Amino acid sequence: MAYLITGGARSGKSLFAEQYASRLASRGIYIATSRVSDDEEMRHRVTLHQQQREQAAFRWETLEEPDQLALKLDEIGSMADQRQREGESPPVVLVDCLTLWLTNRLLIHEASPPEMLEAEVSRLVESIAAYRHPLLLVTNEVGSGIVPAYPLGRTFRDAAGRMNRMLAERCERVFLVVSGIPVDLKRIAFTWDEL
């Protein structure tokens, strides 16, 4: 049961995802994909997000996974399956965010053939499709702006667009968050049967 949440920067995607998670389960696993390194501004953002989750009434366990996201989801899914067989409700999993994960993988594969990055994205999509418990995926909508002036930026924009499209096909619900307002895209989506 995967749900995709997309939108622009600072649109309210993460807040919506966290609120949605609290309605799906009594506790959650928050998978953070950022790679903080020496970026002071990013470190401040991460600290702020961690403090907000700690102060929330909803119980979060935070896992840092900037690289091996598919493997981590497979592991959590297996543990959740086992707990469910034992009569325990599985936690909701929230991944924030897929475009940061994609950035991490793109930088590793920058000099590699494009097929290597595409294979990692496909592997992630397969793991998400196989995940049988509540799973919220936050991603950025990056294709609505100007065309990046440099090749790596264009590669990222195109890869993110393909990844988001593949995930939208597999997810039960897809939300676009604009100015803090979530819109359920699959509920209002056009279908060819309407013609």
Side-chain angles (χ1 to χ4, degrees):
M1 291 187 296
Y3 307 92
L4 185 65
I5 300 159
T6 188
R10 295 288 172 254
S11 63
K13 302 180 301 291
S14 295
L15 178 60
F16 173 71
E18 290 173 17
Q19 291 171 343
Y20 200 119
S22 71
R23 288 161 175 79
L24 294 175
S26 60
R27 60 191 170 84
I29 297 174
Y30 194 104
I31 303 178
T33 62
S34 66
R35 190 182 308 267
V36 180
S37 66
D38 295 327
D39 185 337
E40 187 61 37
E41 187 265 341
M42 188 63 157
R43 191 175 9 260
H44 175 71
R45 283 183 186 218
V46 168
T47 301
L48 183 62
H49 278 268
Q50 289 170 339
Q51 290 170 349
Q52 289 169 341
R53 283 194 304 275
E54 289 169 5
Q55 294 169 0
F58 190 72
R59 292 183 304 145
W60 287 107
E61 173 189 354
T62 300
L63 304 176
E64 306 284 338
E65 187 48 69
D67 293 308
Q68 302 302 319
L69 185 53
L71 182 61
K72 182 60 70 179
L73 288 174
D74 292 345
E75 291 172 6
I76 294 170
S78 293
M79 290 187 325
D81 289 345
Q82 179 61 36
R83 288 182 178 161
Q84 193 169 40
R85 284 191 291 275
E86 295 169 357
E88 186 179 334
S89 296
V92 62
V93 173
L94 192 162
V95 177
D96 196 358
C97 97
L98 292 175
T99 42
L100 283 176
W101 170 82
L102 183 65
T103 299
N104 298 337
R105 304 316 299 156
L106 177 62
L107 293 175
I108 287 172
H109 293 297
E110 186 176 353
S112 303
E115 295 79 18
M116 293 188 76
L117 181 63
E118 291 170 12
E120 285 206 48
V121 170
S122 294
R123 168 72 174 94
L124 177 62
V125 171
E126 289 171 17
S127 290
I128 289 167
Y131 197 87
R132 299 185 337 209
H133 308 286
L135 174 62
L136 298 166
L137 307 161
V138 176
T139 190
N140 287 290
E141 189 56 47
V142 298
S144 298
I146 62 171
V147 176
Y150 49 96
L152 188 61
R154 290 189 296 273
T155 299
F156 170 75
R157 182 207 52 190
D158 294 350
R162 282 191 296 274
M163 176 183 71
N164 289 346
R165 190 174 67 235
M166 290 168 65
L167 288 169
E169 289 175 11
R170 300 287 184 101
C171 288
E172 186 175 320
R173 297 181 85 176
V174 178
F175 295 95
L176 171 65
V177 181
V178 179
S179 300
I181 300 170
V183 178
D184 189 341
L185 294 178
K186 285 201 171 182
R187 190 166 286 172
I188 62 171
F190 166 82
T191 62
W192 290 109
D193 296 339
E194 296 175 32
L195 291 180

